[in-house]
Amino acid sequence: MSADWFYMSSGWFHKAKRVGPISEQDLLQRIDAGKIQPETLVQSRKTRERWVPMSTVGPAMARWLKANPNAQDQVT
């Protein structure tokens, strides 16, 4: 069973807005498309309903690194 995910996106006038719920598959597609970056805040039951940077979610970060192989050296 997959979790529903939410993420924060910049809206009008750079005001943050919550997007979701989206499926895990949709989350991965948005990571591949560059809509979700390592610093983007994400939330699901897998994060215990807490907002955390995407970079702290292992599988999501692995997917981002796969889509951005040249960024490996830039990530600490």
Side-chain angles (χ1 to χ4, degrees):
M1 180 171 198
S2 80
D4 287 333
W5 287 87
F6 297 88
Y7 70 96
M8 296 301 282
S9 176
S10 294
W12 288 73
F13 303 109
H14 302 287
K15 186 175 181 180
K17 68 175 186 172
R18 184 177 119 173
V19 178
I22 61 174
S23 68
E24 285 186 14
Q25 185 63 34
D26 196 20
L27 178 79
L28 296 175
Q29 290 173 347
R30 290 174 194 226
I31 290 170
D32 291 343
K35 293 181 180 179
I36 298 177
Q37 298 293 313
E39 65 275 3
T40 303
L41 295 176
V42 297
Q43 177 192 48
S44 81
R45 65 179 176 78
K46 292 185 178 185
T47 65
R48 297 183 182 165
E49 305 299 332
R50 294 185 182 140
W51 288 101
V52 299
M54 185 274 287
S55 62
T56 64
V57 180
M61 191 61 189
R63 181 69 171 246
W64 187 85
L65 288 170
K66 184 177 178 184
N68 300 277
N70 295 332
Q72 179 85 22
D73 299 332
Q74 299 171 6
V75 178
T76 57

